Amino acid sequence: MSAAIEAASGQTYADFIQAPCTTHDLLKWEQALFGGRVLKPQSLAALTTPVRNGYALGLAATPDRKLVWHNGAIEGFNTYMAYAPDDRIAVIVLANLNGQAPDKLGPDLMTLARGGTVTLASERRVVTLPAEALAAYVGVYSLSPTFALTITAAEGGLKVQATGQPAFELKAQGDDAFFLTEVDAQITFTRDAEGGVDGLVLHQGGRDMPAKRQ
């Protein structure tokens, strides 16, 4: 591994572990890792192929492996690093502060770099949908065999609860489009050919995760 790091960064292993990493250093690492200079193809495939709940052998990845990422945190520092193999785009956010800022900023930067658009939380507007329209979304939606989102009616609106997590209010911003404020996430409901709600897509952390209705 020391030889790999030296090849990727131009530094010795001792220099690497003693000196703080910059975004430029980590970009060199990403280029080396995904450029085939660190791992054999089969090892890289194992590192980036999700096994359970979007997690592979050390890294998180979308099911189609179009985005590979991870975050990190220790007292006073938070980080986010992601790589889009097909687009050869790397996003690296290093922050010397506590909180979720890198986890919010990183995916937004990746979305913009890949040609998408980003709507800030302050730009979202809540709309009122009739009770009968809201009732159509109530149900359980499976993201994986062991992880689901449960949508329930509550106080004239909707709430969403992920497996093993607390429930949060869903706020409508249009037909089939909702967002959360406690968590930086959005949900778009999908419909079948007859117009019935048959699933949803969870948009979170720069990922679009489809879920079928049970």
Side-chain angles (χ1 to χ4, degrees):
M1 180 63 76
S2 62
I5 292 177
E6 183 175 353
S9 67
Q11 297 174 302
T12 66
Y13 181 64
D15 290 337
F16 190 87
I17 62 173
Q18 292 175 11
C21 285
T22 67
T23 53
H24 187 62
D25 293 329
L26 292 171
L27 176 59
K28 288 182 178 180
W29 170 255
E30 291 286 78
Q31 291 171 333
L33 178 62
F34 290 96
R37 295 161 56 193
V38 178
L39 298 175
K40 295 179 180 179
Q42 57 268 36
S43 297
L44 183 61
L47 185 71
T48 59
T49 301
V51 177
R52 183 178 181 183
N53 294 339
Y55 208 77
L57 298 183
L59 295 175
T62 56
D64 54 12
R65 296 173 62 199
K66 291 186 179 296
L67 186 69
V68 181
W69 67 280
H70 213 292
N71 55 9
I74 196 172
E75 293 82 357
F77 299 92
N78 283 266
T79 64
Y80 174 91
M81 185 160 66
Y83 186 75
D86 291 350
D87 303 308
R88 299 179 64 186
I89 295 173
V91 169
I92 302 158
V93 180
L94 306 180
N96 59 340
L97 50 80
N98 289 319
Q100 302 298 314
D103 286 331
K104 295 180 180 180
L105 181 59
D108 284 351
L109 290 174
M110 178 61 76
T111 297
L112 293 172
R114 297 165 88 178
T117 59
V118 172
T119 301
L120 301 177
S122 60
E123 298 174 326
R124 300 190 186 280
R125 297 292 180 265
V126 178
V127 301
T128 300
L129 297 180
E132 57 270 23
L134 294 176
Y137 303 117
V138 172
V140 179
Y141 301 79
S142 298
L143 285 160
S144 77
T146 59
F147 192 77
L149 298 180
T150 300
I151 309 296
T152 57
E155 300 175 357
L158 295 176
K159 286 192 174 183
V160 57
Q161 184 172 19
T163 301
Q165 299 180 21
F168 296 111
E169 182 182 1
L170 266 182
K171 297 183 178 180
Q173 59 181 349
D175 292 337
D176 298 338
F178 293 78
F179 68 97
L180 294 82
T181 54
E182 296 93 341
V183 179
D184 186 15
Q186 300 82 47
I187 287 177
T188 303
F189 290 94
T190 60
R191 295 180 179 270
D192 57 25
E194 287 72 39
V197 176
D198 64 353
L200 62 76
V201 180
L202 172 64
H203 312 283
Q204 187 175 16
R207 296 172 291 164
D208 299 322
M209 296 167 277
K212 282 296 183 182
R213 191 175 196 172
Q214 292 184 5

